[in-house]
Amino acid sequence: MPSLETMPEAVNQSNEDRTNILGVRVRRTTLAQTLDDAEACIQRGEQRYAVFINVYNVIESRGDARYRQTLNEADFPMPDGVPLVWASKVLGRPVGSRVCGPDFLVEMNKRAAEKGYTVFIMCGGDKKAERTAAAFQAMHPNLRIVGAWTPPMGPIEGELNEYILGEIARTKPDILWVGLGAPLQERWVWTNRRRIAARFTGAVGGAFDYHIGMRKRAPRWMQRIGLEFWYRVSQDPSLIWKKRHYADFHKFVLPVLRQAAKERFESKRSAPALEK
């Protein structure tokens, strides 16, 4: 693994391969392309991290510049929700497709099992990491899980932080899965990005819940048209309060429409100057 001093720059943070949605720049690649790119980073021994961005993340970042930075500096800032796919089309720079954390997790684990990549699991809540590790192992007997840790509730700081960074450094996983919930997980990964001794880190939120029976995925037709969150609400009504931004029309839809109108106006205004 390369030293931190020689760690190359992010995979590609240029504006050319990202779409700016209300200040958050999401990558414009499909699930298959993202899997290939992430695997290439593992094979090259780089240290990269991915975040899976939905409406909640975008709205949280609008009022928190530091959080927005954690998303924008990710090597793989992926559009997790259908609303972001819609927004990218409205803004005239459509993303390749939705790339959600649960789908990415499943497909990356398949590759890890086939090719021998090692995995470390870190997620919060009642030994969830250990339970997830058992579920992954049952699904992929050849998967090499080198560690599983469930931290106590709240921020991971001080001695607790040193402990987990030490465990990751000791096991040196190819893949580190982090599920602490947003925005805690993205903040933790960004803060420790130069100390996490894993080649690829994925902040996949509640993706583990589907593997240990805490949640069921929405039917595919609901996923395709952007109703997956409301299917989750049918299983856990408290989400409507925890993730209230999903129902906040004026905090996402209207700002996206305003951004699109502004960009089109500025484009038309600059067109005559370019023609001269």
Side-chain angles (χ1 to χ4, degrees), residues 79 113 118 156:
T118 56
I156 301 172

Side-chain angles (χ1 to χ4, degrees), residues 142-219:
N142 294 329
L143 186 63
R144 297 170 58 199
I145 299 175
V146 295
W149 185 62
T150 301
M153 295 292 289
I156 301 172
E157 301 171 335
E159 292 183 5
L160 199 61
N161 196 51
E162 294 306 314
Y163 167 77
I164 186 55
L165 290 174
E167 284 299 291
I168 296 168
R170 181 180 64 81
T171 55
K172 291 183 171 58
D174 294 309
I175 301 169
L176 169 64
W177 295 123
V178 179
L180 302 174
L184 176 60
Q185 62 186 8
E186 294 88 8
R187 294 186 194 280
W188 183 83
V189 172
W190 183 83
T191 299
N192 296 285
R193 66 196 182 283
R194 299 194 180 279
R195 298 186 62 198
I196 296 173
R199 293 182 173 181
F200 177 84
T201 299
V204 291
F208 304 111
D209 294 350
Y210 302 111
H211 296 274
I212 58 177
M214 290 183 65
R215 291 183 194 161
K216 292 182 180 180
R217 288 296 300 274

Side-chain angles (χ1 to χ4, degrees), residues 80-257:
D80 182 275
V82 170
L84 270 73
V85 176
W86 165 82
S88 73
K89 292 177 180 177
V90 170
L91 293 166
R93 289 185 58 77
V95 299
S97 69
R98 177 191 186 199
V99 181
C100 73
D103 290 342
F104 184 87
L105 174 70
V106 167
E107 295 302 321
M108 201 68 198
N109 275 347
K110 285 181 184 177
R111 296 194 183 200
E114 292 169 359
K115 302 183 181 180
Y117 303 139
T118 56
V119 171
F120 195 110
I121 302 163
M122 172 181 166
C123 57
D126 192 21
K127 294 192 177 294
K128 188 184 290 186
E130 293 80 2
R131 292 156 60 200
T132 300
F136 284 175
Q137 204 71 77
M139 188 180 301
H140 302 291
N142 294 329
L143 186 63
R144 297 170 58 199
I145 299 175
V146 295
W149 185 62
T150 301
M153 295 292 289
I156 301 172
E157 301 171 335
E159 292 183 5
L160 199 61
N161 196 51
E162 294 306 314
Y163 167 77
I164 186 55
L165 290 174
E167 284 299 291
I168 296 168
R170 181 180 64 81
T171 55
K172 291 183 171 58
D174 294 309
I175 301 169
L176 169 64
W177 295 123
V178 179
L180 302 174
L184 176 60
Q185 62 186 8
E186 294 88 8
R187 294 186 194 280
W188 183 83
V189 172
W190 183 83
T191 299
N192 296 285
R193 66 196 182 283
R194 299 194 180 279
R195 298 186 62 198
I196 296 173
R199 293 182 173 181
F200 177 84
T201 299
V204 291
F208 304 111
D209 294 350
Y210 302 111
H211 296 274
I212 58 177
M214 290 183 65
R215 291 183 194 161
K216 292 182 180 180
R217 288 296 300 274
R220 282 289 177 184
W221 69 268
M222 294 187 79
Q223 295 179 39
R224 285 195 298 270
I225 62 175
L227 294 178
E228 186 167 13
F229 172 72
W230 299 105
Y231 183 84
R232 288 173 56 194
V233 167
S234 71
Q235 300 175 73
D236 180 6
S238 69
L239 285 173
I240 197 65
W241 305 111
K242 294 176 184 175
K243 306 290 187 181
R244 60 190 180 281
H245 291 326
Y246 280 97
D248 246 335
F249 182 83
H250 72 284
K251 288 187 177 180
F252 184 76
V253 176
L254 291 182
V256 166
L257 294 175

Side-chain angles (χ1 to χ4, degrees), residues 10-29 49-54 57-58 61 67-80 84 88 91 93 95 259 263:
V11 176
N12 190 338
Q13 290 194 15
S14 68
N15 291 326
E16 285 69 32
D17 78 333
R18 298 189 182 197
T19 294
N20 183 330
I21 302 175
L22 302 181
V24 175
R25 297 181 297 111
V26 297
R27 213 162 180 257
R28 302 176 65 209
T29 51
Y49 77 96
V51 294
F52 297 85
I53 302 167
N54 55 34
N57 302 120
V58 172
S61 75
Y67 183 54
R68 185 166 61 250
Q69 182 181 8
T70 71
L71 301 178
N72 284 334
E73 290 190 359
D75 306 287
F76 296 89
M78 307 313 303
D80 182 275
L84 270 73
S88 73
L91 293 166
R93 289 185 58 77
V95 299
Q259 180 185 336
E263 290 179 356

